[in-house]
Amino acid sequence: QWVNEGMAELYEHHGRPSQEWIRTWRESIRHLDKEATPGNLAVIPLAELVSMLRDGWIKRQDVAYCESWAFCHFLLEGGDPALRKRFLDAFGALRADASREENTKAFQEKLFEGLDPADLEKRFLEFMDGLKLPGYEAIQKGLEAAEKKDHAEAIARFTEAIQADPDYNRPYYCRGRSHYALEAFDKAEEDFRKSVDLSPEHTVSHQ
């Protein structure tokens, strides 16, 4: 199941890293980013993810969608040519006349035979945790400036982040807080509304 869904997500984004899934990974699953709103999600152990059948996968789809994409992305773009080749070669083990169970078994054996599961999971997590979004550094600099009450500088850095990724709600929300701190209430409201428009579940912007 992880291959079907993970590869579908990759191709939907034309093979490029999905900003949406990187945000989900960093903010909701791994809680890597400062001032991200933590969710109750957690990484599914790799051995569990790759052995999930459809029903089990669907029950965990809040994480499984993102992690399936992430693992396929890692296998293809994680910087290990041998692992990439192994993954692509595993598709050659599939047969049109085989059952789903037989094809799953053949694919998994071709891909994972001889690999150290613990090392593979460690490399996977390190690769994914290292992925950054456009404007990431600008957001971090903006947060640092806001902590120092330098809200003019913070606004400049959050604006830079918005220019890099205008569809991301977080820098609008952060910039709105700095506008609010400077009593620029109209600008703050505009940013908060934009944050909510882009991500309605970001309810803190309603406060």
Side-chain angles (χ1 to χ4, degrees), residues 143-201:
L143 293 172
E144 290 172 4
E147 278 189 357
K148 298 173 182 176
K149 311 298 183 185
D150 186 354
H151 292 290
E153 173 66 14
I155 288 168
R157 298 288 73 77
F158 294 136
T159 300
E160 180 183 336
I162 288 167
Q163 291 169 345
D165 186 2
D167 295 325
Y168 187 20
N169 74 297
R170 189 168 167 225
Y172 290 98
Y173 167 68
C174 293
R175 189 174 69 176
R177 293 204 314 175
S178 284
H179 279 311
Y180 191 90
L182 295 177
E183 299 185 356
F185 300 125
D186 288 345
K187 290 182 178 180
E189 181 179 0
E190 182 179 348
D191 278 343
F192 290 151
R193 288 187 181 279
K194 182 65 173 180
S195 174
V196 172
D197 288 344
L198 290 171
S199 184
E201 70 275 12

Side-chain angles (χ1 to χ4, degrees), residues 6 25 65-75 124 127-128:
W25 180 270
Y65 261 119
C66 178
E67 194 168 341
S68 296
W69 162 81
F71 191 48
C72 288
H73 181 56
F74 162 71
L75 291 171
F124 165 54
F127 171 76
M128 285 304 303

Side-chain angles (χ1 to χ4, degrees), residues 3 7 45-46 73 100 119 136 145 151 167 178:
V3 178
M7 291 301 290
L46 202 51
H73 181 56
R100 182 185 179 95
D119 176 68
Y136 173 83
H151 292 290
D167 295 325
S178 284

Side-chain angles (χ1 to χ4, degrees), residues 85-98:
K85 183 178 186 304
R86 181 187 281 256
F87 181 48
L88 295 175
D89 287 349
F91 288 96
L94 304 179
R95 302 195 334 265
D97 61 344

Side-chain angles (χ1 to χ4, degrees), residues 3-4 87-108 110:
V3 178
N4 292 340
F87 181 48
L88 295 175
D89 287 349
F91 288 96
L94 304 179
R95 302 195 334 265
D97 61 344
S99 68
R100 182 185 179 95
E101 290 74 17
E102 289 171 334
N103 272 332
T104 297
K105 184 174 185 292
F107 184 92
Q108 304 275 61
K110 184 77 171 177

